Amino acid sequence: MSTADLSSGSLFPAAIRATSPHRVLGRFAAVVCIVLAGCGDNPPPALGGDPDNGRLLLRQFGCGSCHRIPGVAAARGNVGPSLEGVATRVYLGGVLPNTPENMVRWIRNPKQFDPETAMPDLPIAEGQARDIVAYLQGLK
Ligand code: HEC
C-alpha cells in the first residue's frame, strides 16, 4: 500500500459508514435503558434499604425535631443542619467521609465520631438505619 492510498481519505468514510448501524443500536439501547429505569438516574437504594420505610422511621425517631428533612412531614428542626442534599455532602458532622455505610454508622452512634456533637445516640437497629439511609441518599 502506498502513502497516497493512506492519505487519500477514502478509507475513512467507509469506516464511518460501517459504524453508523452501531450508533443507531446504541441510541436504541439508551432509550430502552431509560424506559426500564434502573440505569444512571435511578440507581437501586443504597445498601438495599427500603426508602419508604426510612421516611416513616425518620418521623418515628423524631429526627425532624432537629433537622429539616424534605419530604418528611413536620421535619423543620433547626438544631442540626438541614438534610436537604445530604447525599452529596462531603463529610458527615464535618468529620466522617460521607458514604452510605458511614451514614449508617453516624446515625446509630454520632458521638463515636464527634463526642461533642449535639446529636444523640439513639437506639436504632442496623436495618432501620439502612432504611433511613436509603431515603436520605435520595436527597441530592
Ligand atoms: C437533638 C437533635 C438531633 C436529633 C434528634 C437528630 N440529630 Fe442528626 N444531627 C444533629 C446535629 C447537631 C448534627 C450536626 C453534627 C455535627 O456537626 O457535629 C447532626 C448531624 C446529622 C447528620 C450529618 C449531616 C451533615 O451534614 O453533617 C445526619 C445524616 C443526621 N444528623 C441524621 C439524623 C437522623 C437520621 C436522625 C434521627 C434518627 C437525627 N439526625 C436526629 C442533631 C440531631
Side-chain angles (χ1 to χ4, degrees):
M1 196 182 279
S2 73
T3 336
D5 285 329
L6 280 176
S7 61
S8 71
S10 63
L11 284 173
F12 297 102
I16 290 167
R17 271 199 302 279
T19 60
S20 55
H22 294 272
R23 287 191 190 167
V24 171
L25 271 180
R27 287 207 189 108
F28 180 68
V31 169
V32 169
C33 217
I34 290 163
V35 168
L36 293 178
C39 293
D41 284 347
N42 282 320
L47 307 175
D50 173 353
D52 292 334
N53 194 45
R55 188 192 343 199
L56 292 177
L57 291 169
L58 283 160
R59 276 194 77 176
Q60 276 175 24
F61 282 109
C63 312
S65 60
C66 289
H67 294 283
R68 283 182 179 272
I69 314 172
V72 176
R76 294 194 231 295
N78 206 15
V79 179
S82 166
L83 298 186
E84 180 169 12
V86 71
T88 58
R89 211 151 290 160
V90 178
Y91 290 103
L92 298 168
V95 291
L96 186 63
N98 188 4
T99 64
E101 291 81 5
N102 278 346
M103 198 183 283
V104 166
R105 296 161 74 201
W106 172 272
I107 288 171
R108 297 186 72 203
N109 298 106
K111 290 185 188 298
Q112 180 187 339
F113 303 102
D114 179 2
E116 304 282 309
T117 184
M119 179 160 161
D121 286 348
L122 295 165
I124 300 177
E126 169 96 21
Q128 290 175 317
R130 284 172 183 247
D131 289 353
I132 289 172
V133 168
Y135 182 80
L136 295 180
Q137 288 296 316
L139 303 181
K140 300 201 167 147

